[in-house]
Amino acid sequence: MTKVLLVEDDTSLQNLYSRVLQKSQIDFAIANDGVAIVDRANIEKPDIIIMDVMMPGRNGMEALVDLKKDESTKSIPVVMLSAHEDENLMLESMQIGAKRYLIKSMLEPENVIEIILEVLKESTDQN
């Protein structure tokens, strides 16, 4: 079974994505920020991480750097979510190692499931 680690500080979005993941019968865990993200990923052992860019404590870009630097988490695919369409952030996140950079306002929550499955298939095909 696929497991997702959703890293999102907005509780209404956590609830929305939780309902969509549950409906799709995808196992998931939630983190409220990017602080100690490597430890959390090692505990949860997700197949994929969906992470907000702007969060308190440690933002998504900083957390992405941590994940990609660590030997135990660098191969976990990461999809970034942002409220802002920022081409520089998008390019930077892809250079660091994100598989996708999604704009929340351009995305229906149900589309996240399709993207999760697509990214996981791409990652499997590359290995």
Side-chain angles (χ1 to χ4, degrees), residues 51 60-68 78 80 93 96-98:
M51 184 159 48
M61 297 300 285
E62 295 166 327
L64 178 61
V65 168
D66 292 346
L67 287 164
K68 295 305 173 183
V78 179
M80 303 302 288
S93 71
I96 295 168

Side-chain angles (χ1 to χ4, degrees), residues 74-94:
K74 71 179 183 182
S75 64
I76 301 171
V78 179
V79 174
M80 303 302 288
L81 289 174
S82 180
H84 306 288
E85 191 170 350
D86 184 326
E87 192 169 326
N88 291 329
L89 274 178
M90 179 188 71
L91 291 172
E92 183 182 351
S93 71
M94 301 300 271

Side-chain angles (χ1 to χ4, degrees), residues 4-20:
V4 174
L5 176 56
L6 174 64
V7 187
E8 172 64 64
D9 63 313
D10 183 319
T11 54
S12 61
L13 286 175
Q14 284 178 4
N15 292 335
L16 181 63
Y17 287 120
S18 294
R19 284 194 300 275
V20 171

Side-chain angles (χ1 to χ4, degrees), residues 1 5-6 10 14 24-26 30 32 44 49 53 55-56 58-60 65 74-75 84 91-92 96 109-111 117:
M1 175 181 271
L5 176 56
L6 174 64
D10 183 319
Q14 284 178 4
S24 298
Q25 297 180 335
I26 293 178
I30 296 174
N32 294 316
E44 298 298 341
I49 297 171
V53 172
M55 296 180 290
R58 192 147 185 79
N59 72 41
V65 168
K74 71 179 183 182
S75 64
H84 306 288
L91 291 172
E92 183 182 351
I96 295 168
E110 292 77 16
N111 298 129
L117 297 175

Side-chain angles (χ1 to χ4, degrees), residues 94-118:
M94 301 300 271
Q95 288 171 345
I96 295 168
K99 297 295 184 183
R100 298 281 192 292
Y101 185 95
L102 307 173
I103 310 302
K104 292 176 186 179
S105 63
M106 299 176 155
L107 183 70
E108 293 294 324
E110 292 77 16
N111 298 129
V112 172
I113 302 304
E114 295 168 20
I115 292 164
I116 288 169
L117 297 175
E118 185 179 290

